[in-house]
Structure formats: C-alpha cells, structure tokens
Amino acid sequence: MTRSDLDLTGDWAIRLDRVGKRYALGEREQYLALRDVIASAAGRLRPSQLRRRNGPTESGRPHRWALENVSFDVAPGEVVGLVGRNGAGKSTLLRLVSSITRPTAGSVAVRGRVGTLLEVGSGFHPELTGTENIFLNGAILGMRREEIRRNFDEIVEFSGVAEHLGTPVKRYSTGMYMRLAFAVAAHLDTEVLLVDEVLAVGDAEFQRKCIGRMRELADSQGRTVVFVSHNDAAIRQLCSRSVWLRDGSVAGDGPTDDVLPAYLEEQFSQSRLGGWIDVSDAARTGSGEARFTSVRLDVPGRSDARTVRPGEPLRVTVRVHADHDVACGNVSFHLATLGGMKLVSGGTGPDDPEFTLPAGETEFEIEVEALALNPGRYTGSFWLARPTGARRKFGLYDHVEAVIDVVVATPGGDDAEDALVATRSTLRLPSAVSTRLPSVPSNED
C-alpha cells in the first residue's frame, strides 16, 4: 500500500493502516548513506553495487517482523500511552511515525510537525557545552535559531542545569543529559510529540515536571502526544487512552483503565518464579565454551510465589554446561528495570578466588538476603566469565540479557504517586549477598 491509498479524510493527527516492519537479521537498512554517496562519486563504489549489498530480504537471510498489521488513529490533542514488553515494537512504531525509517507494509500518515525524544541526549555533542548543545539539538529537531533564542530562558529554567551550562556535556550525569534533552524537545513548536521512556532516569521532582509539561502541551496547547513508558503510574496519570503492543501486533486499544490492567495481569501471570526456565536458545554473546542452560528464581519459604515482596529474600539458581574443564572467575546476575537500569547484582566478582568449572553440567546458587526494591517489574540477566589475570577484567564465556521476569508486588495497595518513582526512589542495594558455589577444586595454576 502506498500513501496515496491511505484514507486521508477524518479528524486525526496520526494514522497507521495495516503497518508492518520487517528486519533482515544481520542486514543493514536499505538506504544510501552519505559516505557511500561520496565513495560512489569517487568511482570506488557504483550505486548498483550498493543496492545489491543492501539487497531485499528475499535474498535468503532470516528476517523478523518487528511490527505486523498495526492499525489505529490518534486524534488531535490526544495523549496516547504505548505499552508492551521490551521487544514488542513500541520504539519501532515511533521511528516509523517520525519517518526515521519506512514501513515494509502499510502506510503511516502524520498531520503537522513532529517533535521526537526517542533517545536521551541524541543529537548532543559531548565536547560542546550545555548552551551550545541547546542550539545544536534544537536545530537538529527543526527549531529555527530565533525560536531557540526566544525559548532559551524557559528551556534552561525547565532543565534545572543553569549552573552547568558552560560545562561540556560529557561531564554531565545521565540525569542531567536527560533533563536538558527533554527541556529542548518540550519547547519545540510542534503539533505532534513522540516521547520514548524519558522517565527511565531523573529524580522524582523532574519526573513530575515532565508529566506536567506533557499534560500542559496536550490540554492548553492542543498538542498530540504519544508516550512510551514502562512506568504504569505515569501512563495512568497522563494518558486517557493506551495501545498495548504484544509481539509486534495490537493486543489492546482503549481507555487506559481497561487496557493497562489487562496488560499488567498478563505480565504477572508470566512472572517466572518457582520453575526452571530454559535459556539454551536465548540470544547470547561470549565464546560459548561454557554457557547457561536454565535458570530458576525462588522465594525461600514460599514455594508457590509468583511475585516477590519488598524486603523478601530471593534465591537464584543457574545451571551451566561446559564443553570441557575451564577456568572461571565470575558467575553473576543482575536485576534491572525494564528500561535497562541495573539495580541489584549478585554472584562472584573479580576479588573472589578463581575456580575450575568441570566439563558437563554444574549448578550454582546465589542468594539475596533482602531484595530491597520498590514495587514494579524487573528483568534478570546472567554473566559467566573467565579470569584474564588482570583484576576486574574478564573475558566472557556467556552472557544472556533479560531472560527472566521478576515482579515485586505492591504491599497494601497501589499508591500511584509512590509508584510513579518506583524505579528511582529509595532504591537500596541488598543488605547482603552471598554465593554458594559447587564443591569443585580451586584453580591454583
């Protein structure tokens, strides 16, 4: 379907009609980069060769549909939340709406100017100061120089980093980066604003300020906002309507009070506690000489637990298969927010003695005595590494990312104001972490 086939009648700001996006695994997007144009002009690479190198997926490469048959409209001035697990297609959809990439099937149409905040600090130059990056980032987003100057004081006041404007942003914290990036995007004069997980970093005060600014843009200025977040309370506060993506398709579309509970119930039902999870086919990095085959999470004393309560212990058990005896220096796991922020670690480390991992299957247990995390959903990742002889440096045997889900339950009800900052406020490391390793001889050589 071409854009000319799309029904352009009606009152809408964004329209998606049977949209699909397919990626060929291991293959670049089919576009002509500036460096290739320069090389072609120099006679070193002809355009026909470029087309063949970036050829269609019918070339035989395996492919994956990131989005498939997605259709919905967003009305002018509407604030729509986009929810779904990591990999559901949310960011891909925003990239299609912002014309960063094109759909493989179907059509996308947008009425009005589009402003995007898809990656924290995208368009910032680390060597430039905060002031210089306001002008640079504003220009990249499409703001005229006079427009940036007119809004400069408001941008600086909103960001809260006035005293650091003369400092190169490479010295900024991630939170300061995000503050400045959101402040610029929030003052862009657009009809449509696309926001992807801006609340993953930043303190509680700034998170509330972001929510308030997006609500102001919609209510008083009539802006259309599409908001992607894993923060359920933020979605509830800001969005009257939500679209739920599951594996690239629309699983739900309607009032947030209807869609969000259904989405959360599915996440709770899939909480992976109390049973072995096969990770042998999970995407991974490392040499593969030794690798994780299955993992299990339990709450000691509650065999039927689907969720963990704040402050409860957590037992992590992993099974590892080695092709032959290997020297090992690290077996560890991390719990992270759905946005990727690592919060809790457990296992051995570079200061622990090396040991020999025997050929065949070995089982490890890692115990967290008190899981001091706020209510929310988290993912677990695992590392297995060899010693290299240098402190705090390891070579990977295996690394599997976000292969398990952990739900920390809300005790005594759900306070939306507290839940809004659940992944950032009062976070504490576990009171103690201990590791029980198998009875195998130490590697003294």
Side-chain angles (χ1 to χ4, degrees), residues 1 38 76 145 180 212 243 286 295 420:
M1 176 187 291
I38 296 172
R145 190 171 185 84
L180 198 57
V243 176
V295 300
L420 173 62

Side-chain angles (χ1 to χ4, degrees), residues 134-168:
I134 289 175
F135 283 91
L136 174 63
N137 192 237
I140 290 173
L141 291 175
M143 298 173 73
R144 297 182 299 276
R145 190 171 185 84
E146 306 79 50
E147 187 181 352
I148 300 173
R149 285 181 172 174
R150 185 172 63 251
N151 293 320
F152 184 84
D153 290 342
E154 291 183 24
I155 292 172
V156 172
E157 182 181 359
F158 187 92
S159 69
V161 297
E163 60 188 67
H164 304 288
L165 286 180
T167 304

Side-chain angles (χ1 to χ4, degrees), residues 5 105 110 118 148 151 167-168 176 181 204 221 223 329 349 372 378 403 436:
D5 299 321
V110 182
L118 304 187
I148 300 173
N151 293 320
T167 304
M176 292 168 64
Q221 300 184 28
R223 308 276 186 90
Y378 304 88
V403 292
R436 289 207 296 271

Side-chain angles (χ1 to χ4, degrees), residues 291-305:
R291 55 198 174 276
F292 295 103
T293 58
S294 54
V295 300
R296 176 182 177 131
L297 273 69
D298 298 281
V299 177
R302 290 203 299 129
S303 59
D304 60 345

Side-chain angles (χ1 to χ4, degrees), residues 80-275:
V80 175
L82 206 55
V83 299
R85 290 173 51 85
N86 287 338
K90 304 184 299 297
S91 296
T92 298
L93 190 149
L94 293 192
R95 289 185 173 92
L96 291 173
V97 174
S98 60
S99 298
I100 293 175
T101 187
R102 295 180 179 179
T104 308
S107 294
V108 179
V110 182
R111 286 173 171 164
R113 191 178 176 192
V114 179
T116 63
L117 185 56
L118 304 187
E119 295 181 12
V120 174
S122 57
F124 277 30
H125 193 293
E127 299 296 336
L128 299 182
T129 66
T131 298
E132 292 165 335
N133 270 295
I134 289 175
F135 283 91
L136 174 63
N137 192 237
I140 290 173
L141 291 175
M143 298 173 73
R144 297 182 299 276
R145 190 171 185 84
E146 306 79 50
E147 187 181 352
I148 300 173
R149 285 181 172 174
R150 185 172 63 251
N151 293 320
F152 184 84
D153 290 342
E154 291 183 24
I155 292 172
V156 172
E157 182 181 359
F158 187 92
S159 69
V161 297
E163 60 188 67
H164 304 288
L165 286 180
T167 304
V169 298
K170 67 181 180 181
R171 298 194 177 97
Y172 284 19
S173 67
T174 302
M176 292 168 64
Y177 240 84
M178 189 274 291
R179 283 171 173 265
L180 198 57
F182 183 85
V184 175
H187 289 82
L188 180 64
D189 185 15
T190 63
E191 287 74 34
V192 177
L193 180 63
L194 310 177
V195 184
D196 190 357
E197 201 57 67
V198 297
L199 300 181
V201 291
D203 55 37
E205 178 187 355
F206 189 69
Q207 289 177 7
R208 295 188 184 97
K209 187 184 288 188
C210 291
I211 293 291
R213 177 62 179 176
M214 286 187 282
R215 184 183 291 118
E216 176 189 345
L217 292 175
D219 293 345
S220 63
Q221 300 184 28
R223 308 276 186 90
T224 304
V225 180
V226 179
F227 179 49
V228 171
S229 181
H230 290 293
N231 192 317
D232 310 328
I235 293 286
R236 284 194 184 97
Q237 286 192 358
L238 185 63
C239 309
S240 59
R241 173 190 169 197
S242 291
V243 176
W244 169 17
L245 291 182
R246 182 204 293 130
D247 297 328
S249 299
V250 176
D253 180 359
T256 295
D257 289 342
D258 295 335
V259 173
L260 198 57
Y263 164 61
L264 294 177
E265 176 60 30
E266 181 175 283
Q267 303 313 300
F268 272 78
S269 68
Q270 294 177 355
S271 178
R272 298 176 177 182
L273 289 180

